[in-house]
Amino acid sequence: SQQGEEDPQALSIQEGENATMNCSYKTSINNLQWYRQNSGRGLVHLILIRSNEREKHSGRLRVTLDTSKKSSSLLITASRAADTASYFCANSGGYNKLIFGAGTRLAVHP
Amino acid sequence: DVKVTQSSRYLVKRTGEKVFLECVQDMDHENMFWYRQDPGLGLRLIYFSYDVKMKEKGDIPEGYSVSREKKERFSLILESASTNQTSMYLCASSRQGTLWGYTFGSGTRLTVV
């Protein structure tokens, strides 16, 4: 399987803390993307980092990419209860096709 | 507001029935995808299409077929539903090329009894 893996599988933090999620993948990539899914809903695209980029920011999100280690991390700073969701990384292992990991479940407690 | 619309949020079907899951996007996207999502397994690609009347098998196409007669509509067909096809089905679309994120529908939770 080309599927990547997120780590940890579940994360529980308090509001205001930072949340870090890691992702590893197996194939070479054109880009790596992060998505969020609220319970029972579809996924929402958060951020895309190209294979020639090392770091990217979007609001409270910071994504890093290390192609030599085939890994990425998503940092959510100053987390809020509304950030509670599952987070997925996805890599473009093939033409127009994303391969998703199993996700990290984040719980942010007030 | 641009979106991907899946025709049903919840669906209950009987074993052996032919099931149609419909997906419509209003963004003029070339690419459309069907995934299924199961606990602990993440999202697995069933079929995708990068143009009208074109289709490609994903990782788990067995027991499924698709139809794309118009650019905005991508249908997933379960030829003879089985209980192991009980799952959340997610449709997505994207622009052509590898530098675009996907837009997902809200999902259809299918239960086969």
Side-chain angles (χ1 to χ4, degrees):
Chain A
S1 169
Q2 299 178 46
Q3 195 172 35
E5 296 181 0
E6 280 96 342
D7 170 54
Q9 290 185 335
L11 183 59
S12 182
I13 60 174
Q14 297 296 127
E15 261 191 331
E17 293 180 343
N18 295 341
T20 299
M21 288 159 270
N22 302 298
C23 166
S24 61
Y25 56 92
K26 299 180 181 178
T27 63
S28 59
I29 61 171
N30 294 311
N31 65 71
L32 189 133
Q33 304 180 27
W34 285 90
Y35 289 78
R36 165 198 170 117
Q37 183 181 36
N38 288 86
S39 180
R41 309 297 294 184
L43 280 71
V44 175
H45 180 254
L46 294 176
I47 194 166
L48 179 153
I49 185 166
R50 301 183 187 192
S51 59
N52 61 354
E53 296 177 311
R54 291 296 167 259
E55 188 171 312
K56 198 162 184 179
H57 298 254
S58 176
R60 292 185 297 114
L61 305 180
R62 173 179 169 254
V63 169
T64 61
L65 179 65
D66 186 336
T67 53
S68 67
K69 296 181 179 178
K70 289 188 166 59
S71 67
S72 175
S73 67
L74 171 68
L75 168 68
I76 303 174
T77 60
S79 62
R80 306 165 181 167
D83 294 328
T84 294
S86 291
Y87 292 83
F88 296 85
C89 69
N91 68 81
S92 59
Y95 175 69
N96 282 341
K97 192 173 73 168
L98 284 181
I99 302 166
F100 286 82
T104 293
R105 295 187 311 279
L106 172 67
V108 182
H109 302 283
Chain B
D1 197 17
V2 294
K3 58 184 179 181
V4 174
T5 302
Q6 294 184 231
S7 53
S8 306
R9 284 283 286 135
Y10 300 94
L11 212 52
V12 179
K13 295 293 182 179
R14 295 195 179 277
T15 301
E17 276 192 79
K18 191 169 186 176
V19 181
F20 293 86
L21 301 183
E22 306 288 346
C23 175
V24 177
Q25 51 97 1
D26 64 0
M27 296 163 285
D28 201 35
H29 283 171
E30 291 83 6
N31 301 330
M32 297 189 75
F33 308 85
W34 276 106
Y35 288 86
R36 65 176 281 176
Q37 182 178 24
D38 301 287
L41 296 178
L43 279 74
R44 293 179 291 167
L45 182 63
I46 304 172
Y47 267 97
F48 65 105
S49 167
Y50 51 86
D51 201 354
V52 176
K53 296 192 186 296
M54 303 298 288
K55 60 184 179 183
E56 295 283 342
K57 292 181 180 179
D59 298 319
I60 52 166
E62 297 78 17
Y64 303 94
S65 63
V66 290
S67 172
R68 192 163 181 206
E69 296 295 318
K70 292 184 178 182
K71 189 175 185 179
E72 66 270 20
R73 186 180 296 269
F74 192 36
S75 303
L76 180 69
I77 303 156
L78 286 66
E79 299 290 343
S80 177
S82 64
T83 54
N84 63 13
Q85 292 178 310
T86 291
S87 186
M88 169 72 99
Y89 290 87
L90 292 164
C91 175
S93 71
S94 76
R95 293 185 187 180
Q96 197 71 271
T98 58
L99 294 178
W100 305 102
Y102 287 12
T103 301
F104 279 84
S106 296
T108 295
R109 188 167 294 281
L110 173 68
T111 302
V112 183
V113 298

